[in-house]
Amino acid sequence: MINYTIRRLLSAIPTLIIVAVMVFFLIRCVPGNPALTMLSDDATVEEIAAMEAKMGLDQPVPVQFVKWVGNAVRGDFGSSIYYDEPAMGVVMSRLESTWMLVIMAMFFSILIGVPLGITAAVHRNGLLDKMCMVLSMIGISMPGFWLALNLVILFAIKVPIFPAVGYAYISEGGLVKSMRYLLLPAIALGLQRSASLARVTRSSMLDVLNSDYIRTARSKGLRERAVVYVHALKNAMNQIITQLGISIAHLLGGAIVMENVFNIPGLGRLAFDSIVRRDYPVIQAHILYVAFIYVIVNLVVDLLYKFFDPRIEYK
């Protein structure tokens, strides 16, 4: 397994290189001049040229790329045009709120989606099955921002239990206070993923519950709870784990919307603002970081397959 892990990590290098090349050139196809964004609309041609020279944008794009790659290999992803700080440092400073949001949203999606899918599978074609699938369809169909706004109106304005916007860092107010700020966006984000997770769980559980060894377990007199949660769920976990890995990607994407709706200073908000400001170094550092996270998540998902199904061999 160690050799497999090392090979997977090494195979991630070409992926990150391709992502870096595509991001570097595609960003520069976006209309707009970063130098003009930093200056006022009435800036003179000389002022714009001076700002472009300061940013290194006066050089040909291939030359900019070669310099950027040379610096990136040494861990230098350039300085933010807007913040005038190391780009990767700016990205790292926004990690706490985003990962707190993703972890909480994942918790809600598992807490709701997996039991819903198991219940639907156990009561296949029954009333509970139909009710669970209707709920999951509603969850998939609801736009995240619409659900978020309704939660704000209900629990932050009409019944002011939770904060409507903002975020308190753990170092400033503690973990509980940080979680209070993220509870509403986490619920809005997690409910959508729980709907997809419920459908995948139901499908995977139905495949397992129809297996011969499940009928054998029941014929031996095992309690139904043990059959479902010990034997069936464990063997259905591979598809569920795959969906959880996909969910992390969706949650990181959905965080962009939630962080803008709730004014949370996270990676999603940073990416949105950086695109508006044409802050090339931050955009590139952000996308490379997210791509690296996707690679790690896929690796963890593959390794978890072995834990739940020892028959799997890594080659």
Side-chain angles (χ1 to χ4, degrees), residues 26-88:
L26 287 176
I27 286 176
R28 282 155 178 77
C29 295
V30 177
N33 189 337
L36 187 58
T37 303
M38 294 297 296
L39 301 170
S40 59
D41 293 335
D42 56 353
T44 63
V45 175
E46 291 77 14
E47 290 174 334
I48 295 173
M51 182 59 73
E52 287 179 342
K54 180 181 178 181
M55 297 177 178
L57 301 176
D58 58 330
Q59 299 174 334
V61 174
V63 175
Q64 295 181 40
F65 177 72
V66 171
K67 288 185 176 181
W68 182 78
V69 170
N71 292 330
V73 170
R74 298 193 297 270
D76 180 9
F77 293 89
S79 295
S80 167
I81 295 172
Y82 182 81
Y83 296 99
D84 195 24
E85 297 176 8
M88 189 56 76

